[in-house]
Amino acid sequence: RRVLFRSRAHSLLMVIDIQERLAPSMAEPERIIKNTAIVMKGAARLGVPILVTQQYPRGLGATVPELAGLAPAGATLDKVHFSCAADPAVLARIEGARRDQIVICGIETHICVLQTALQLVEKGYRVSVVTDAVGSRRNADSEIAFGRLAKSGVDLVTTEMVLFEWLGRAATPEFKELQALVK
């Protein structure tokens, strides 16, 4: 049975490679960083574990400060594989979280995000890519990647879709806080 609804109790948020020397070369880096920050704040508020990766930080720099400050202690892992699922330490952290729904923000859509999502689907995870919180240098690369992801069973979602599915209902303190994030 295919689960279509994202649940905070089953989700893990992955923030892939939004780094100081890489992010500025993306199309619309401000959008990617802003929406990723919103998803990270929502995840933290709702108890969704967060994992942040950095591709070869010696060359590409650390996670951008706007997001690094939102990452829980010990949540950031360095990697050299394009796919997070191909990196033994990152995969061990994903498996250790014991969550079957992986929500992905990050860069670049057609490289690290795509390869991670496809490999996680192969491993049996339910994967969602937050389309307004990912990007590539060229928008055309992202568009092609979105098509391939959708054909492979990855859900294409938006920041608000994720937050409000995790939330599940209004009339809660969390609702007011999350609503304020997206206004």
Side-chain angles (χ1 to χ4, degrees):
R1 192 184 66 146
R2 187 170 148 99
V3 177
L4 299 176
F5 192 79
R6 264 157 304 289
S7 152
R8 68 176 111 168
H10 293 273
S11 291
L12 167 73
L13 173 61
M14 290 192 66
V15 176
I16 300 175
D17 307 345
I18 306 179
Q19 293 163 249
E20 294 169 323
R21 287 192 215 93
L22 187 59
S25 61
M26 297 301 109
E28 305 176 82
E30 300 84 10
R31 169 190 53 82
I32 298 164
I33 293 167
K34 174 183 169 249
N35 288 329
T36 299
I38 291 169
V39 177
M40 289 177 78
K41 289 173 185 175
R45 179 63 180 94
L46 296 172
V48 174
I50 300 170
L51 177 59
V52 177
T53 65
Q54 300 178 141
Q55 178 75 20
Y56 183 63
R58 207 167 76 208
L60 297 174
T63 299
V64 297
E66 302 94 315
L67 303 178
L70 299 173
T76 302
L77 294 175
D78 297 346
K79 66 181 182 68
V80 293
H81 293 86
F82 295 125
S83 170
C84 295
D87 185 285
V90 178
L91 183 60
R93 187 73 66 89
I94 294 166
E95 291 171 342
R98 306 181 77 70
R99 303 285 178 119
D100 60 352
Q101 299 174 1
I102 311 297
V103 176
I104 298 176
C105 301
I107 55 181
E108 285 188 70
T109 311
H110 68 295
I111 303 173
C112 295
V113 170
L114 174 79
Q115 291 182 33
T116 299
L118 294 179
Q119 284 197 325
L120 289 173
V121 167
E122 286 176 356
K123 293 180 179 302
Y125 289 93
R126 181 86 183 126
V127 180
S128 300
V129 169
V130 186
T131 58
D132 57 356
V134 297
S136 296
R137 286 177 177 85
R138 291 175 301 279
N139 286 326
D141 287 324
S142 287
E143 292 305 316
I144 296 295
F146 292 149
R148 189 165 169 206
L149 289 163
K151 283 183 189 170
S152 302
V154 173
D155 283 333
L156 301 180
V157 298
T158 66
T159 296
E160 289 193 32
M161 290 167 73
V162 169
L163 291 181
F164 290 100
E165 282 182 48
W166 281 345
L167 189 58
R169 65 189 191 100
T172 65
E174 297 96 342
F175 172 74
K176 291 184 189 305
E177 290 175 42
L178 269 57
Q179 188 178 39
L181 289 176
V182 298
K183 279 193 172 181

